[in-house]
Amino acid sequence: GAGVSQTPSNKVTEKGKYVELRCDPISGHTALYWYRQSLGQGPEFLIYFQGTGAADDSGLPNDRFFAVRPEGSVSTLKIQRTERGDSAVYLCASSLGGVSNEQFFGPGTRLTVL
Amino acid sequence: AQRVTQPEKLLSVFKGAPVELKCNYSYSGSPELFWYVQYSRQRLQLLLRHISRESIKGFTADLNKGETSFHLKKPFAQEEDSAMYYCALVDNTDKLIFGTGTRLQVFP
């Protein structure tokens, strides 16, 4: 079946603008994770959903970042008033649930804030 | 603080040579550790996890609690092993913490 998909693959925006990044997890995966990967770094945890609720949002850097998963499937990561430091690859992963289960990653969205 | 350290940004070897990608961690208790790999133009994927004690694509990794290490090893590197490798640890709030990664280049 299809793996995790993310759209768009690339997003270029201007400082101060609002962006939405979308993640379609593998069907049946209850757990969904967002990570941010800056150049030369490993993925950094942002938020974890179990079903529709955010089980852990401790990785969100500030209140400009927000994510939703209203029906327990597709998730959207929203960034308000983007800053140049938000430029990174945003990765989504899904799993059957629980961090010990294998996480399947999407291809990522490369966000560039000019 | 819980942390994963991969001291080498780049490791270059010739085909057929042994490979060891280093990973050290800081964690109190029994850690749960993984190796993830990203081949060129592909997505990040799980290579192996320490609890299953398996060998995948000829790679093995042994948890050494005394040295707080989880090094990834392969006796004979192949060109197709060239990729970015990330060591990861489950922290005490059940989040995955990744190291900064090591790029392995295997020359023919």
Side-chain angles (χ1 to χ4, degrees):
Chain A
V4 177
S5 62
Q6 292 186 246
T7 54
S9 55
N10 278 285
K11 176 71 177 176
V12 180
T13 190
E14 293 179 342
K15 180 174 177 293
K17 299 288 190 185
Y18 167 82
V19 297
E20 288 189 353
L21 312 179
R22 177 188 167 109
C23 172
D24 276 273
I26 292 172
S27 177
H29 280 190
T30 57
L32 186 145
Y33 304 81
W34 283 99
Y35 296 87
R36 178 169 69 175
Q37 187 170 21
S38 301
L39 197 61
Q41 302 297 314
E44 178 189 17
F45 170 84
L46 294 176
I47 185 169
Y48 156 51
F49 287 91
Q50 181 60 45
T52 60
D56 186 340
D57 64 357
S58 61
L60 295 177
N62 50 60
D63 60 7
R64 294 187 298 106
F65 288 75
F66 188 71
V68 295
R69 193 185 186 199
E71 297 177 359
S73 179
V74 170
S75 176
T76 305
L77 178 65
K78 308 180 181 196
I79 310 175
Q80 298 177 320
R81 305 184 302 281
T82 52
E83 298 178 357
R84 292 195 180 90
D86 298 335
S87 297
V89 174
Y90 289 82
L91 296 170
C92 175
S94 71
S95 77
L96 288 170
V99 71
S100 296
N101 284 297
E102 179 177 354
Q103 293 186 26
F104 293 84
F105 282 80
T109 294
R110 181 175 297 279
L111 175 66
T112 303
V113 182
L114 300 176
Chain B
Q2 293 133 82
R3 187 168 53 244
V4 175
T5 303
Q6 294 181 253
E8 303 143 325
K9 282 192 179 297
L10 174 66
L11 182 63
S12 299
V13 301
F14 286 101
K15 177 182 170 183
V19 167
E20 181 179 73
L21 298 163
K22 291 185 167 50
C23 172
N24 288 89
Y25 65 89
S26 62
Y27 185 80
S28 54
S30 294
E32 190 169 357
L33 290 149
F34 303 81
W35 276 98
Y36 277 80
V37 61
Q38 187 166 26
Y39 301 101
S40 179
R41 299 198 196 333
Q42 294 187 29
R43 57 190 69 190
L44 194 61
Q45 59 186 283
L46 179 67
L47 179 63
L48 55 81
R49 68 188 84 188
H50 93 272
I51 55 172
S52 48
R53 301 183 64 80
E54 57 200 344
S55 172
I56 303 292
K57 300 186 179 182
F59 284 98
T60 58
D62 290 320
L63 176 61
N64 186 322
K65 288 187 180 180
E67 296 183 357
T68 58
S69 69
F70 188 56
H71 303 327
L72 184 67
K73 300 178 185 179
K74 184 168 182 175
F76 308 104
Q78 303 299 313
E79 289 178 70
E80 55 266 30
D81 295 329
S82 296
M84 197 75 189
Y85 291 80
Y86 295 95
C87 183
L89 164 76
V90 176
D91 77 1
N92 58 7
T93 59
D94 278 350
K95 293 194 290 289
L96 264 185
I97 299 175
F98 286 85
T100 52
T102 298
R103 179 169 299 283
L104 174 64
Q105 287 184 330
V106 181
F107 295 111

